[in-house]
Amino acid sequence: YVYARNYEKGIVLYRPITDRVNSELDSTSAVTVNLGQSLKPVDFENNVSAAVSQISLRNGEGAILIY
């Protein structure tokens, strides 16, 4: 599952490590999240990427997306 929190100018997504048995952090743990609209990802250096309509999140990974 993925937690989402909406803000005035964007959304934050977070995929927690769901259990101790399947706690891998590599790409095999990734799930694809359909956003329902085009949003622009922001990286850790505040660089804004091109708009996407879906994003892949691994265990323990999050994303910041803006409208």
Side-chain angles (χ1 to χ4, degrees):
Y1 55 94
V2 174
Y3 291 108
R5 181 164 181 178
N6 290 307
Y7 291 89
E8 184 177 325
K9 296 187 179 189
I11 187 170
V12 173
L13 302 175
Y14 175 66
R15 181 163 192 251
I17 297 173
T18 53
D19 60 55
R20 294 177 196 267
V21 175
N22 296 316
S23 62
E24 296 297 322
L25 301 178
D26 62 11
S27 61
T28 62
S29 70
V31 296
T32 300
V33 179
N34 290 316
L35 302 172
Q37 61 184 313
S38 292
L39 299 169
K40 298 174 187 173
V42 180
D43 71 15
F44 67 96
E45 294 180 332
N46 289 329
N47 297 312
V48 179
S49 299
V52 296
S53 60
Q54 63 183 21
I55 194 164
S56 180
L57 294 174
R58 299 175 299 191
N59 280 339
E61 191 171 41
I64 299 170
L65 302 118
I66 57 174
Y67 299 115

